[in-house]
Amino acid sequence: MTAAETAATDVPVTAPTPVVSVKPLVLEAPGRGEDLRVRVSAPVTGSGLPVVVLSHGYGSSLDGYGPLADFWAAHGFVVLQPTHLDSRTVALPPDDPRTPRLWRIRVEDARRVLDRLDDLEAAVPGLAGRLDRSRIAAAGHSFGGQTAGNLLGLRVLDPVSGTEEDLSDARVKAGVLLATAGRGGADLTPYAAEHFPFMNPDFTHMTTPALVVHGDKDDLPLSVRGPEWLADPYVLSPGSKSLFTLYGAEHSLGGITGYEARETTDEHPGRVALIQRVTWAYLRHALGMGDTAWTAARQVLAESAAHPLGRIESK
C-alpha cells in the first residue's frame, strides 16, 4: 500500500456490515414515458437508518457508482439509485421530445423515489420499519450533482419555459455534490452553451448544507475556467458548506463511477477510499448522527495539514 493509500485511512469509519441490494424495483411514472427503475441497497442489520438518494452521471444507471453505494450501505445508510432517462440502458434517441427536459425529469425522478419510499422499503426483504425518514440526503456526480443540487435549492433557468423554478425538497436535509458543473453564461465553452442550455445554475438559493467535492485536474471541455469551475457550488452558494478538493483527480475522481468503469481516466484506489470515508463522515455529521469522523476528516485534511490526497475547507 502506498503512502497516499495509507493516508486514506486517516479518517475513521465504523466496521462494515453485509448489504442487501434489490434491483430493479419499478415505480409507475405516468407522463414520463418509461417506468422508473430503482436499486435499493441497505445494511442487513440496524435500525433508524438514514437515506441517501444517489443520482448518477449522464449515461450511467442504477448499476453505477458501486464504490459509493456499497460503502455507504455497508456503513449504515439506505441508498436509493434511480435510473434516469439519459442512461445508456434507456437508449433515448437524441431527437426524443423529452430531451430538453431531461434535467427536470431527473429531479422529478428523485422526488418520486422519496414519494414512494414506503413501497421501496416494503419491496426489500427485512427492511420494513428500519428507516429514519427524518434523515434524508441527496448525492450526485456530474449531471447527477446538478440533480441533487436542485433538491438543495439550486435553480435552473428552464430553456423550454424560460422560467426559474424552486424545485427544492424540504425532506432533503443535506447533500454531497461530486464534480458538479459551475456557473453558466460566459463561463461555458461554445459547445456546452449549444448542447447543454440547462447548464445555467443559480446557486444563490442553495441554502441546504452540502459537501462539494471536486478534482484539481478536472478540466472539462464545458468551461473556459478550468478545474476551479467545479468549485462554484461551494463558492457561490450560501449557508453551511464544505469543499473537498482532491489533488490530481479528474472527472471520475479516481474511480467512483463504478468498479473498473471505462469512464475512469485517473484510477486511484486510495483516492476512492478517501472519498468513501469523507463523504460518509460528512453525511453522518450533516444528518446529526455524530461528528467524530467528520471532525477527524477536517483535521487531517485541513489546508495546513499537507495531506497527500486533498484538503477540506468550510464556511
Side-chain angles (χ1 to χ4, degrees):
M1 184 177 288
T2 67
E5 289 169 339
T6 300
T9 64
D10 292 342
V11 180
V13 69
T14 58
T17 61
V19 170
V20 59
S21 184
V22 180
K23 66 161 190 177
L25 299 175
V26 180
L27 301 179
E28 292 183 359
R32 186 176 184 267
E34 307 271 346
D35 287 337
L36 179 60
R37 295 181 295 118
V38 184
R39 179 177 189 152
V40 179
S41 302
V44 298
T45 60
S47 60
L49 302 174
V51 176
V52 182
V53 181
L54 176 55
S55 179
H56 64 72
Y58 187 88
S60 189
S61 71
L62 57 76
D63 290 315
Y65 298 90
L68 292 180
D70 293 347
F71 185 90
W72 292 342
H75 295 276
F77 285 83
V78 175
V79 183
L80 314 176
Q81 294 177 263
T83 291
H84 301 299
L85 288 178
D86 56 82
S87 172
R88 290 185 293 269
T89 65
V90 176
L92 210 65
D95 60 351
D96 188 283
R98 290 167 289 181
T99 299
R101 297 187 66 251
L102 284 179
W103 75 269
R104 186 187 180 100
I105 297 172
R106 279 173 148 265
V107 184
E108 293 168 358
D109 290 345
R111 295 175 67 96
R112 190 182 306 276
V113 165
L114 295 179
D115 291 343
R116 300 287 298 277
L117 192 52
D118 288 348
D119 296 328
L120 295 173
E121 178 187 26
V124 179
L127 187 57
R130 297 172 55 213
L131 303 187
D132 183 348
R133 285 165 171 74
S134 71
R135 290 188 166 111
I136 295 176
H141 173 247
S142 194
F143 198 5
Q146 177 172 297
T147 303
N150 285 129
L151 299 175
L152 308 179
L154 181 157
R155 298 184 184 181
V156 169
L157 182 64
D158 191 313
V160 176
S161 68
T163 62
E164 183 181 280
E165 188 177 347
D166 179 10
L167 299 177
S168 62
D169 194 311
R171 293 170 293 187
V172 177
K173 308 301 184 185
V176 174
L177 309 185
L178 302 125
T180 300
R183 188 171 49 194
D187 290 353
L188 298 181
T189 61
Y191 174 85
E194 178 183 356
H195 292 89
F196 307 110
F198 55 82
M199 198 174 286
N200 53 48
D202 176 1
F203 298 105
T204 59
H205 304 282
M206 197 175 80
T207 58
T208 305
L211 172 66
V212 176
V213 184
H214 83 118
D216 69 357
K217 300 299 181 184
D218 189 1
D219 194 4
L220 293 173
L222 301 176
S223 174
V224 298
R225 287 176 45 212
E228 71 169 22
W229 181 60
L230 294 113
D232 281 358
Y234 169 79
V235 175
L236 301 179
S237 64
S240 177
K241 300 292 188 300
S242 291
L243 178 67
F244 180 22
T245 301
L246 287 148
Y247 303 145
E250 298 176 11
H251 199 57
S252 291
L253 302 175
I256 65 167
T257 54
Y259 303 109
E260 301 178 353
R262 65 184 181 185
E263 298 97 329
T264 302
T265 56
D266 60 335
E267 186 175 2
H268 194 300
R271 186 179 296 138
V272 172
L274 186 61
I275 293 170
Q276 289 170 328
R277 288 169 176 254
V278 169
T279 54
W280 171 84
Y282 177 80
L283 287 168
R284 284 183 55 85
H285 154 74
L287 295 176
M289 302 177 65
D291 289 324
T292 302
W294 179 240
T295 298
R298 292 183 64 185
Q299 289 175 343
V300 301
L301 290 160
E303 289 191 84
S304 60
H307 194 282
L309 293 181
R311 68 179 186 272
I312 291 175
E313 54 195 280
S314 299
K315 64 178 183 180

